[in-house]
Amino acid sequence: MDTRTNYHQSLKDMQNLLMHMGATVERQIFRAVDSLKNLDAALAQSIIDEDDALDQMMLDVEDRCLRLVALQQPMAGDLRIITMAGKLAVDLERIADHAVDIAKITRRLAGEELLKPIVDLPRMADLCIKMLQESLLAYTEGNVNRAAYMAELDDEVDRIYSTVLNEVMPMMSNDVARNRQLMQLMMAAHYLERVADHATNIGEGVIFMVTGKRKDLNK
């Protein structure tokens, strides 16, 4: 196998690992919100236990990126693709951390009766997962339009987040235990809003990767 063929295979292997990491993170987000919806402490614990594996995936992607840069000295276009892979892995790891944050909320609330049905959080999670899927496709395809779509989806997540806050805040009372649960539910919504922000960051990174120009999708 010649050097150039080996380079392209190494690049493909790195991207495949990144896609596997992305699919695993999507699953973690879905399972975390499902654990909260059903107050399933065992499911929550399994999410927490799997986080180390995702941390290792991030390190593996970063290591492959460094090796590609050091051994192949890629030109500007390929260098942006490789650099973006490393940044994408970091965003995915942070998203996985938010899944763990939600799982920890489940553990805290386990054994309690929910004050309100968990309806909006699964909707937020579905949108976040869609954003992750679109952002990863944008990266693999080098598709600027898919990347820019993050802004529209992020606005939808923000709208649901505002709805959650507007519904939960009036439910606060002088009951400390009641307020504690409501605060935890608002924090879960906040973590999902942050997931959407990370997916938007990926979209911005893809636009820079393809065009060499930076664009703020949060505007």
Side-chain angles (χ1 to χ4, degrees), residues 17 24-25 81 86 91-92 99 149 171:
L17 176 59
T24 305
V25 170
I81 291 173
D91 273 310
L92 289 176
Y149 184 39
M171 295 176 67

Side-chain angles (χ1 to χ4, degrees), residues 5 42 60 68 82 92 108 115 149 154-155 166 186 189 196 215:
T5 302
D60 289 345
L68 282 167
I82 295 168
L92 289 176
R108 293 186 198 111
L115 296 170
Y149 184 39
D154 186 49
D155 286 344
N166 290 335
M186 285 192 290
K215 182 176 183 179

Side-chain angles (χ1 to χ4, degrees), residues 12 38 49 55 86 162:
K12 184 178 179 180
N38 299 299
D49 292 341
D55 291 344
S162 295

Side-chain angles (χ1 to χ4, degrees), residues 1-15:
M1 185 179 290
D2 60 54
T3 302
R4 198 63 188 168
T5 302
N6 185 59
Y7 164 69
H8 284 298
Q9 185 59 51
S10 297
L11 183 61
K12 184 178 179 180
D13 289 344
M14 180 270 295
Q15 290 178 319

Side-chain angles (χ1 to χ4, degrees), residues 28 45 87 115 126 132 165-166 191 194 209:
Q28 289 285 82
Q45 187 59 51
K87 292 180 178 178
L115 296 170
D126 287 345
L132 283 171
L165 296 184
N166 290 335
Y191 292 136
R194 292 295 300 136
M209 178 187 79

Side-chain angles (χ1 to χ4, degrees), residues 49-121:
D49 292 341
E50 292 175 18
D51 191 53
D52 286 345
L54 280 159
D55 291 344
Q56 187 58 53
M57 286 185 205
M58 180 195 70
L59 295 175
D60 289 345
V61 171
E62 290 181 331
D63 181 64
R64 289 173 188 244
C65 290
L66 289 173
R67 287 176 179 272
L68 282 167
V69 171
L71 298 176
Q72 302 294 338
Q73 298 180 336
M75 300 300 287
D78 279 356
L79 181 59
R80 287 202 295 268
I81 291 173
I82 295 168
T83 302
M84 178 59 200
K87 292 180 178 178
L88 205 163
V90 171
D91 273 310
L92 289 176
E93 189 275 334
R94 289 175 179 169
I95 290 171
D97 285 344
H98 290 316
V100 169
D101 290 331
I102 294 170
K104 288 179 178 178
I105 289 174
T106 299
R107 288 200 316 184
R108 293 186 198 111
L109 299 183
E112 298 183 18
E113 183 176 343
L114 288 170
L115 296 170
K116 65 185 296 293
I118 304 296
V119 176
D120 291 320
L121 297 186

Side-chain angles (χ1 to χ4, degrees), residues 145-161:
N145 290 329
R146 279 191 188 276
Y149 184 39
M150 293 303 100
E152 182 180 333
L153 293 175
D154 186 49
D155 286 344
E156 290 186 45
V157 172
D158 288 343
R159 280 193 288 271
I160 300 175
Y161 179 46

